[in-house]
Amino acid sequence: MKKIYQKTDKLFMPQAGEVQAKDFLKFYFDFVCENQLYDEDLWALLVKQFTYPSDDVDNGWRGEFWGKLMRGASFVYTATGDERLYDILTHTVNDLLKTQDSSGRICTYSREKEFTAWDMWCRKYVLLGLEYFYDICKSGKLKEEIVSALEKHAGYIVDHVGNGDGKININKTSKEWYGLNSSSILEPMVRLYVITGNRKFLDFADYIVSEGGMTEDNIFERAYQKNGYPYEYPATKAYEMMSCFEGLLEYSRVTGNKKWEQAVINFADMISETEITVIGSAGCTHELFDHSAVRQLEENESGIMQETCVTVTWLKLCSQLLRLTGDIKYAELMERTVYNALTGCVNTELRHENMGMIFDSYSPLINQSRGRGMGGMRILELFNLFGCCTAIAAAGIGLMGLYPIMKSRDSIVINSYISAAAEFEINGAKAKISMDTKYPADNIVYIKIEYGNNLMKIRIPQYSESTVLLLNGRNIECTAGEYAEVNVKSGDRIILILDFEIRVIIPSRFGAHGNSINRFALASGPLILAKDSRVCEEINKATDIVQKYKKKDNLKVPCITAFECDDDNDSILIDYSSAGKTWNKDSKLSVWFER
Ligand SMILES: [Zn+2]
């Protein structure tokens, strides 16, 4: 895989061990490992689903859980280099390989029911889980076994799905969402071609792209033509649709097809423009694209909105585009998602009330509590419930550590600020930096160049209207929304002071669904601020003239940041990601306020 990326990409994520995170990030890595990824019983239970047709009973998606969690675990391993985690993953990969049947299927549907409902989707996740583990696998023997299993598993699909006699059309292998879910198998098919060099998998990818992503339309062409917005497509399931475009991006990389690369860029631009909300997720009607840029301003009775699978898949799509294009706009988008929607779904305050679920599935915005329900819930055995969002969130946590410090061909690129040491090889020479900061709780970042003479690019966030960037005490010019380019040498010290004054966010678009209420949100740095009924009475009202406020310490609610405002409501504002964490009516939250 890596050779392809060397040719196509502008930015590169760290390999295992290159970045060592501390403090804020380490808390999230430890949290997901201790509560989920180290759980060998959980891995065994997820493998067990493949030992019999466990999804036949309700046309379910139990077969997605293992691969989805494995992909996330592989990201977390890359971000941490945690050998205990690696050993656990090796063990469960070996277990999964044993479930392959004589025809090559690693499958949760019987022969009688195969290629219906979510079968293809589940097979996709088997491929993805094994492929992402393959990327971190250190054993040549195990890699060979994985490739052999993948070829048989995918070979069975290629033999039964396609254009030939007796084959089923890819988009007819599911009656859901006009086949969007099935077409998303594009990504692992392309990756398998790269791993094996076996042309038949690329031919199959050609075929999927030619079928257009769904039975009722060709969404790849529509995105290329910018013909309507994604919420106007025949099926609008947000997570599945973005997964198809992740596949199209991988396809464009491998084939060098610029048309499809442009289609993915167009698609992400349209999502950013019409869907992405103030907290960096999307889909305010259940799990669907629905012009959320506008819908987010309406109170949602059910609170089932902004699925965590959507949050993480958006983050993944942006991370791919950041790598491919090096365009700073994707780093901006990722940061908004990471510090608001993603960290908001991590259930740091209680777990027993939701059967041990450590991640929440939906992210409310106005006058709602968290913990509205478990997305994609399935019973695996007795009291063991698992859900789609619970399975995907680890991938988001892993990416939190993989995008802040990257490298280009000639520089270290800082996309966000974390306490970490990073060591890269650039142009054959070693370069090492250490970064210290309490970001996003605090606005000061210290970067020390340990060794190496390098160009360094430092992202100056769009929100930071007045920024101070000092190299060895000397001011360096910089512009919000751009990378500052700094030539550095061993021993240099950089101090970055960002603008964390509270700012007012006015929604930019009021479309056909826009209501008459003039709502606004408040933010400090990358953190969107919320009111939480644990510390505020009037959570829906605030003042948009925020001039007098001060930091509030020792609030009874655990949070990253808190402010006490001198306004009519004596508002207490805390970061959205910490609001609502008790999952009940005592901690209702709002981020869109009325005057
Ligand atoms: Zn989900």
Side-chain angles (χ1 to χ4, degrees), residues 419-458:
S419 271
E423 186 171 6
F424 291 113
E425 196 171 301
I426 295 173
N427 286 333
K430 294 250 183 203
K432 184 175 181 185
I433 63 164
S434 60
M435 183 153 43
D436 276 294
T437 180
K438 291 195 173 65
Y439 194 87
D442 186 63
N443 64 332
I444 306 180
V445 183
Y446 304 92
I447 305 169
K448 186 176 165 194
I449 316 305
E450 303 280 352
Y451 49 79
N453 296 323
N454 268 97
L455 178 66
M456 198 153 97
K457 288 185 173 183
I458 304 171

Side-chain angles (χ1 to χ4, degrees), residues 405-414 422-433 447-458 471-472 476 484-494:
I405 311 177
M406 294 171 73
K407 67 172 184 177
S408 69
R409 287 183 179 76
D410 58 2
S411 60
I412 291 176
V413 180
I414 310 285
E423 186 171 6
F424 291 113
E425 196 171 301
I426 295 173
N427 286 333
K430 294 250 183 203
K432 184 175 181 185
I433 63 164
I447 305 169
K448 186 176 165 194
I449 316 305
E450 303 280 352
Y451 49 79
N453 296 323
N454 268 97
L455 178 66
M456 198 153 97
K457 288 185 173 183
I458 304 171
L471 173 63
N472 301 325
I476 302 276
E485 298 196 1
V486 188
N487 283 305
V488 293
K489 59 183 186 314
S490 297
D492 281 356
R493 306 269 203 284
I494 289 171

Side-chain angles (χ1 to χ4, degrees), residues 68 239 287 307-310 361 375-376 387-390 392:
K68 208 168 178 178
Y239 157 35
E287 299 167 351
E307 188 196 9
T308 297
C309 289
V310 174
S361 298
C388 56
C389 299
T390 312
I392 205 168

